[in-house]
Amino acid sequence: QVQLVESGGGLVQPGGSLRLSCAASGIFFRINTMGWYRQAPGKQRELVASMTSGGVTNSVDSVKGRFTISRDNAKNTVYLQMNSLKPEDTAVYYCNAEFLRAGTLGRVEVWGQGTRVAVSS
């Protein structure tokens, strides 16, 4: 069993900051890529940022220079530091991770339940 639990969402004013956290727990051998996705009402879910176990990152152009993804492999936790927030960043943010199963080395992809981010004055 593996699961992801997000935290850190909330309501902030434009230009403000939030830090999201996602902690993985359960039985697994290794976590490969971890990332953050977001989905606004009526829109398709999109990748915000991701990071491999080796530290290679990827992010959507709209957040470059404002958001920073990081992870602590020892704590099985990934973070998303969001600065200079804009109203268009408003969405539910979901954590995603690919786990390598213990024993069999099979892979499983897991989603968190999401944490809401609202940017409004």
Side-chain angles (χ1 to χ4, degrees), residues 1-6 22-28 30-37 45 78 94-101 106-114:
Q1 301 184 82
V2 291
Q3 63 179 8
L4 300 170
V5 179
E6 305 103 327
C22 172
S25 63
I27 301 173
F28 55 87
R30 186 179 68 197
I31 306 176
N32 294 325
T33 301
M34 299 187 79
W36 291 94
Y37 291 72
R45 186 174 299 186
V78 64
Y94 297 90
C95 182
N96 173 270
E98 183 183 65
F99 295 83
L100 190 63
R101 296 191 182 102
R107 298 174 184 270
V108 61
E109 188 166 316
V110 177
W111 292 89
Q113 292 186 337

Side-chain angles (χ1 to χ4, degrees), residues 35-91:
W36 291 94
Y37 291 72
R38 66 185 180 187
Q39 187 167 22
K43 296 185 178 180
Q44 191 175 78
R45 186 174 299 186
E46 66 172 348
L47 172 70
V48 179
S50 65
M51 180 178 285
T52 69
S53 59
V56 178
T57 62
N58 186 33
S59 64
V60 66
D61 288 344
S62 61
V63 309
K64 291 184 186 300
R66 300 189 298 121
F67 293 8
T68 302
I69 188 170
S70 62
R71 65 188 279 183
D72 185 335
N73 291 329
K75 296 181 179 180
N76 296 317
T77 300
V78 64
Y79 307 92
L80 186 67
Q81 179 66 47
M82 304 185 294
N83 299 323
S84 302
L85 283 161
K86 304 175 180 179
E88 51 262 45
D89 295 318
T90 296

